[in-house]
Amino acid sequence: MTLRQERSSVSRRLAYVVISVVFANYLGNAFIYVVQAGATPVRIVGSLACLLAIGYLQLGVFSRPSANLRSAKAYLALGAMALLVFVPVPFFAYAWGGMPGFLAGSCLLVLPGRVRWFVFVGVALANAATKAGPGIQLGLLAYAVAASLVAGLVVYGLSRLPSLVKQLETARSDLADLAVSQERLRFARDLHDLLGFSLSAITLKVELARKLIGERTDHALRELAEILGIAREALTDVRAVASSYRELSLADEIESARSVLTAAGVTATINVNGTELSPRSRTALATVLREGVTNLLRHSEASCCSITIDGDGRMASIDIVNDGAPAETRTDRGSGLANLATRTGAVGGSLLAQSSADGTYRLHAEVPAEPVPAEPASDSRRPAGPPIATRFAQVLLTAVVVGYAFMAPMLASYNPAVSAAALAAAAVSSAVIATLVLTIVSRPRVRMHPALGYAALAGLAAAVYVPQVVFHNPYLGGVPGFLAGSAALILPRWFGWAGFVAVVAGQGVIQGVFDYPAVDIAYGVMAAMNHGLVLYALTRLRSMVTELHEAREELATAAVTQERLRFARDLHDLLGYSLSAITLKSELTHRLAAVDPDRARQELTEVLEISRQALADVRSVALSYRELSFDEETQSAQALLSAADIKVTVRIDACDQLPKEVTVTLATVLREGVTNLLRHSKAEHCEIVLASSRDLVTMDIVNDGIPAVEQKSRDGSGIGNLTTRVRALGGDLQAGLTSEHTYRLRAEIPLPLN
């Protein structure tokens, strides 16, 4: 699971926890009032049954992201919810006043189009109608309407936002797929530009050389020499293209540099000041670090090296300074520094390499945190993100905050002993709290300075507690729960939740100090907890929606990186083999042209076939994954090894019944194994053995030509790519010396049971 996926998963789990606690508080508050009005067994059992049924419908049906809210089951559940909300009203009266919020929110979730908003308002008005009667104050009815509307929005928002996040995750996958398609088109252009000309030239020159052998051998030899040059240059291009599409890890390169310098006896000092970089800029710095350390070890006798990586959010830089300056510094020659200059320039950066009079050598590179685009972006081809979800989350949060702030002074006004000054203080307190929450606390796009956050908390605390203390009334503090939620949002994680608990518990203490009854204390604690959790949840969920919306480019880049790795692997496996074979056979033909023209022409015929196949591979790599044939690869390996005067023994069990992905992987291992043999060893004999059983297939490629540098062969990109392929099927790949002083490449792949 990626960090982004893990973060989304945690956010969804947080949403479910908050939903459960908030809904439980709504239901628990109703039960307390039912018991307070009359604690008879019938009322207790009846109310519990209805409340549990409401909770089950809301959590088990309406709040599930995977639920089909346009199905018959959803409409049936909505009807059941309506009965549970309104039928018990004659029995429980005012104690049931909070339940219509569940029905209102569920109507927004289930009903289509504009109808849901009319029904939503109708439920709130119906809640007020159930309380209408002689002597009922209009303020109480208005409060009932407002409470139902706000509770309905809370129920709708908390139930809906997790599913919106899931939809955004699906949308980002679609966007990533489009990015991969566009990247494949770019690969095709690069392949055509780099390799198409080389392979076409080889094909033409091979045809010409084949005609000239025996008649104008000198001319044929010149053509063969040019073929060799083109093939070697094309092979270099293959490696260059593959490596340029490989994203390096800056953290891994830092650790590698530290380890290598220490092993070489160089005292290394590495300072890293973290800054957020795009993948391209990270890769550029990692490449500079790798090349700089490599040059230090190759061309200097340094004893100390200082590496500093720094950034200010806009630009990032790397400085590699050592005390072993080379005798001559030439930035205009040599592929290493030239490649680094090209890479840093491609992302809008710069490179500087210079020696100083004090005998130190400095390699300095700067890259922007967000590089210049590799290609002009085409907005018309990029699907639009889900701005409706982001705007809706903002509107929803604003409506809930304003609604709670509007209800707080209304609740205080029910006490006839409250003075006009106290009510004015309650109104001002609610307005200040709502303003601070909406302008500072809940704004995900604003990187809050700690001092600003603490100042906002201080302002919220003053707005909450000053009216309560001055007028000795805990209902005059606006919305105390918003102070609790703000503490959880602003303070560091555990301190924030400790502050949340302190504010919620403190509200109960204040009501106890003012001699309020136990029911009011319970209500104050539950209301503060609910308001705080709702603010925290809606702010966090809205931030996550915004973050996912803004992460489209990052996600697309990650998908493109995977495609680049696949491309580099296929390019190495397919074209590297073909170009190596062309080079080998061209060298053989060059030797045979004068002594055995017929054999030379035969070899050139095979070169022609290989070059044509390589051209087809160029297209197949860019378009799709090419499925290799194990039988064809076996025949090709035998012919190629024989052409190199290597005696080959092949023992292959029948593999017709093997899964296709297994045979393709084995064919790739065989091709790469033979390629490595020809490149890195002087073998005289090679043995290829494939053995399969009911649950396992193994392939061994054994030769008696131990590589001159065994570690290079083992750790090269070819073996690494093969290891990745084999492990993807649950298998294992081993390469190394045997007790018989031979070199063995062994692949083991488990077979699925029928």
Side-chain angles (χ1 to χ4, degrees):
M1 180 179 289
T2 65
L3 178 61
R4 178 73 61 184
Q5 291 171 334
E6 182 179 355
R7 186 182 301 171
S8 298
S9 177
V10 170
S11 298
R12 289 197 300 272
R13 288 198 298 269
L14 172 64
Y16 299 145
V17 171
V18 171
I19 288 171
S20 300
V21 173
V22 171
F23 291 172
N25 278 341
Y26 275 133
L27 299 173
N29 185 63
F31 180 71
I32 290 175
Y33 283 121
V34 169
V35 173
Q36 183 188 28
T40 65
V42 174
R43 287 174 61 85
I44 291 175
V45 173
S47 63
L48 276 177
C50 292
L51 292 172
L52 290 175
I54 291 174
Y56 169 76
L57 290 174
Q58 195 62 58
L59 290 172
V61 178
F62 302 124
S63 298
R64 289 178 55 199
S66 59
N68 181 5
L69 297 181
R70 295 293 184 267
S71 64
K73 179 182 177 181
Y75 283 101
L76 183 63
L78 188 63
M81 178 73 81
L83 294 176
L84 291 168
V85 166
F86 286 115
V87 170
V89 169
F91 301 97
F92 304 124
Y94 293 103
W96 218 245
M99 295 304 98
F102 286 104
L103 178 60
S106 299
C107 289
L108 289 179
L109 290 167
V110 175
L111 298 179
R114 297 181 179 179
V115 174
R116 57 181 179 168
W117 292 105
F118 288 109
V119 177
F120 171 75
V121 175
V123 171
L125 295 175
N127 184 35
T130 60
K131 297 173 174 55
I136 299 298
Q137 299 178 5
L138 291 178
L140 179 61
L141 299 180
Y143 181 84
V145 172
S148 296
L149 294 175
V150 173
L153 290 176
V154 169
V155 169
Y156 176 68
L158 295 184
S159 301
R160 179 63 177 147
L161 281 179
S163 63
L164 288 177
V165 170
K166 186 175 180 180
Q167 292 174 18
L168 286 173
E169 291 173 351
T170 302
R172 73 183 186 181
S173 298
D174 296 339
L175 182 73
D177 291 340
L178 177 60
V180 167
S181 298
Q182 293 174 336
E183 190 69 13
R184 284 178 175 172
L185 293 176
R186 193 170 72 83
F187 289 158
R189 292 195 298 270
D190 288 351
L191 280 172
H192 181 272
D193 294 342
L194 282 173
L195 303 176
F197 175 81
S198 298
L199 292 172
S200 298
I202 289 174
T203 302
L204 293 174
K205 287 183 174 294
V206 166
E207 291 176 343
L208 177 59
R210 187 174 59 173
K211 295 177 182 178
L212 293 173
I213 287 179
E215 298 178 1
R216 299 173 60 187
T217 303
D218 292 342
H219 190 179
L221 290 176
R222 289 196 298 272
E223 293 296 333
L224 287 171
E226 292 184 13
I227 291 171
L228 278 171
I230 295 172
R232 288 166 180 160
E233 184 177 355
L235 188 57
T236 302
D237 287 341
V238 166
R239 292 168 181 160
V241 172
S243 63
S244 68
Y245 288 147
R246 178 167 166 258
E247 181 183 338
L248 300 180
S249 166
L250 182 57
D252 291 346
E253 290 302 320
I254 290 172
E255 292 305 314
S256 177
R258 192 192 308 273
S259 175
V260 169
L261 291 171
T262 301
V266 179
T267 302
T269 303
I270 302 179
N271 297 310
V272 179
N273 298 321
T275 184
E276 290 293 329
L277 297 174
S278 72
R280 289 179 64 210
S281 295
R282 253 194 331 264
T283 298
L285 287 184
T287 305
V288 172
L289 176 57
R290 169 179 285 192
E291 186 67 21
V293 172
T294 301
N295 286 343
L296 182 154
L297 297 175
R298 286 179 179 174
H299 306 303
S300 77
E301 298 180 357
S303 60
C304 296
C305 177
S306 173
I307 300 173
T308 304
I309 300 174
D310 202 356
D312 58 4
R314 187 181 63 86
M315 297 290 293
S317 65
I318 181 170
D319 274 284
I320 305 175
V321 181
N322 69 80
D323 60 357
E328 183 180 7
T329 302
R330 295 178 297 176
T331 60
D332 58 336
R333 297 188 62 183
S335 61
L337 292 177
N339 289 341
L340 290 184
T342 301
R343 284 179 176 272
T344 53
V347 296
S350 60
L351 183 79
L352 173 67
Q354 62 182 11
S355 297
S356 300
D358 58 358
T360 60
Y361 179 78
R362 179 187 182 220
L363 180 64
H364 175 81
E366 287 186 354
V367 297
E370 290 293 336
V372 296
E375 288 187 57
S378 176
D379 293 336
S380 61
R381 296 183 182 181
R382 184 177 295 125
I388 295 177
T390 306
R391 287 199 299 267
F392 170 75
Q394 172 66 48
V395 172
L396 175 66
L397 178 60
T398 302
V400 169
V401 170
V402 172
Y404 277 142
F406 175 72
M407 291 165 56
M410 292 180 63
L411 183 63
S413 68
Y414 295 151
N415 187 346
V418 175
S419 65
L423 290 178
V428 171
S429 171
S430 297
V432 170
I433 291 172
T435 300
L436 290 174
V437 166
L438 292 176
T439 57
I440 299 178
V441 176
S442 64
R443 296 190 63 189
R445 292 180 179 273
V446 176
R447 290 188 177 181
M448 186 185 305
H449 191 277
L452 179 61
Y454 297 145
L457 284 178
L460 287 170
V464 167
Y465 294 123
V466 169
Q468 297 185 56
V469 173
V470 171
F471 296 99
H472 299 279
N473 188 333
Y475 291 103
L476 299 179
V479 191
F482 282 175
L483 174 60
S486 299
L489 290 167
I490 293 174
L491 297 177
R493 185 175 181 181
W494 297 114
F495 291 102
W497 286 110
F500 181 96
V501 173
V503 172
V504 171
Q507 196 59 30
V509 171
I510 290 174
Q511 291 188 318
V513 169
F514 292 150
D515 294 327
Y516 276 76
V519 172
D520 285 3
I521 294 175
Y523 172 81
V525 170
M526 295 172 69
M529 183 186 300
N530 258 22
H531 296 160
L533 288 176
V534 167
L535 174 63
Y536 179 86
L538 292 185
T539 300
R540 283 297 190 204
L541 289 173
R542 189 190 71 163
S543 298
M544 187 171 61
V545 170
T546 304
E547 182 181 343
L548 287 173
H549 178 62
E550 294 176 343
R552 293 179 304 164
E553 292 298 331
E554 178 184 347
L555 294 165
T557 300
V560 168
T561 299
Q562 293 298 319
E563 181 65 13
R564 286 173 173 172
L565 292 175
R566 183 201 68 83
F567 173 77
R569 184 182 63 203
D570 290 352
L571 188 67
H572 180 278
D573 293 346
L574 292 173
L575 300 182
Y577 176 89
S578 299
L579 291 170
S580 295
I582 290 172
T583 302
L584 175 66
K585 287 184 172 292
S586 297
E587 290 174 344
L588 178 60
T589 304
H590 196 277
R591 294 197 300 269
L592 294 173
V595 297
D596 192 348
D598 293 337
R599 173 81 183 279
R601 278 191 289 269
Q602 180 182 349
E603 294 297 333
L604 283 178
T605 300
E606 294 185 14
V607 171
L608 187 60
E609 293 176 356
I610 294 172
S611 62
R612 287 170 177 166
Q613 181 61 57
L615 276 172
D617 287 345
V618 167
R619 301 185 182 94
S620 67
V621 168
L623 296 177
S624 62
Y625 185 84
R626 180 175 181 264
E627 294 185 353
L628 302 179
S629 167
F630 185 79
D631 291 338
E632 292 179 1
E633 290 305 317
T634 303
Q635 296 173 6
S636 175
Q638 287 180 285
L640 194 58
L641 291 170
S642 298
D645 292 328
I646 298 175
K647 296 180 181 180
V648 58
T649 302
V650 179
R651 296 199 303 271
I652 304 293
D653 287 352
C655 56
D656 296 340
Q657 302 301 319
L658 295 178
K660 180 179 295 184
E661 61 272 16
V662 173
T663 58
V664 169
T665 300
L666 290 174
T668 306
V669 172
L670 177 58
R671 168 174 282 200
E672 182 63 31
V674 172
T675 301
N676 283 345
L677 186 157
L678 296 172
R679 287 179 182 170
H680 305 303
S681 76
K682 297 180 180 180
E684 296 180 358
H685 184 271
C686 177
E687 184 178 23
I688 301 171
V689 180
L690 176 70
S692 62
S693 62
R694 182 179 180 182
D695 57 356
L696 183 70
V697 59
T698 62
M699 185 174 67
D700 291 286
I701 304 174
V702 184
N703 71 83
D704 57 358
I706 299 174
V709 184
E710 190 228 341
Q711 187 68 29
K712 178 179 179 181
S713 177
R714 180 179 296 176
D715 294 342
S717 62
I719 299 299
N721 291 339
L722 294 182
T723 302
T724 301
R725 288 177 179 269
V726 173
R727 288 181 179 174
L729 299 179
D732 186 36
L733 186 81
Q734 298 176 355
L737 301 178
T738 68
S739 58
E740 292 81 14
H741 300 287
T742 59
Y743 188 84
R744 181 175 66 183
L745 177 66
R746 180 180 179 86
E748 296 181 350
I749 301 177
L751 299 177
L753 296 177
N754 294 328

